[in-house]
Amino acid sequence: MARVFVYGTLKKGQPNYKHMINMANGLAKFQGRGRTAEKYPLVIAGKYNIPYMLNIPGTGHHVAGEIYSVDEQMLQFLDEFEGCPEMYQRTLMSIEVVEWEGKGSAGEGRVATEGIMECFVYSTTTYPPEWVGLPYHDSYDSSGKHGLAYVLRESR
């Protein structure tokens, strides 16, 4: 099992969460809530209002999200869903655990020292330069006060 940190449309209550709980895509088990240990810019960009975490460590905010344990099948699904490696790149990042629900084997249930763990995160280094000038968010909600509702793939 691999750990994945999601911060956008794949979180509970967001438009693409259905993919996380669809067993046909593989297994994704919610482990807890966290935030990036380093600051990153989280922007909402493009004509479909997609959330992107720009891979610019030290800029922006500690981004809030959810931690999942996923099997190999779900990881492959997420790579494809996230357009990896062209649109997003899957990289290991340090995630600070805010709330932990994870149970399981000793290795899986334990939180690393000081509540920091390594998780795969889909961020991007392939973005138009003007995105750096967009407003930075510390968390994402498709129906948030930013007014930039996400456009589902089936509606594009």
Side-chain angles (χ1 to χ4, degrees):
M1 300 288 276
R3 285 211 176 98
V4 175
F5 175 77
V6 298
Y7 56 85
T9 65
L10 291 168
K11 295 187 309 183
K12 289 180 182 178
Q14 296 304 308
N16 288 318
Y17 177 66
K18 61 188 178 215
H19 299 300
M20 297 296 285
I21 56 174
N22 183 345
M23 295 297 285
N25 298 332
L27 179 66
K29 184 176 177 226
F30 177 77
Q31 298 285 276
R33 294 182 310 107
R35 65 184 204 147
T36 57
E38 280 195 81
K39 293 179 177 180
Y40 289 92
L42 171 60
V43 300
I44 301 169
K47 62 182 177 182
Y48 304 120
N49 297 324
I50 298 172
Y52 293 92
M53 185 189 303
L54 308 183
N55 198 338
I56 310 172
T59 302
H61 302 286
H62 297 281
V63 177
E66 299 172 347
I67 302 164
Y68 288 84
S69 269
V70 301
D71 65 7
E72 188 59 35
Q73 182 182 343
M74 180 59 81
L75 197 59
Q76 287 178 2
F77 168 82
L78 290 172
D79 279 356
E80 189 174 310
F81 182 80
E82 299 289 13
C84 186
E86 292 80 24
M87 189 160 136
Y88 292 93
Q89 297 78 47
R90 175 167 45 99
T91 57
L92 277 174
M93 287 186 186
S94 294
I95 302 299
E96 178 188 339
V97 177
V98 173
E99 184 182 318
W100 189 249
E101 290 186 15
K103 294 179 178 68
S105 68
E108 186 171 282
R110 259 194 355 250
V111 176
T113 346
E114 286 133 33
I116 303 278
M117 64 172 49
E118 295 293 302
C119 297
F120 285 121
V121 180
Y122 292 91
S123 63
T124 186
T125 57
T126 54
Y127 53 86
E130 60 269 20
W131 286 11
V132 176
L134 293 171
Y136 297 165
H137 304 273
D138 60 358
S139 66
Y140 175 80
D141 183 340
S142 174
S143 55
K145 59 185 175 195
H146 49 70
L148 301 168
Y150 174 78
V151 179
L152 286 167
R153 288 180 183 196
E154 46 272 25
S155 304
R156 295 179 192 170

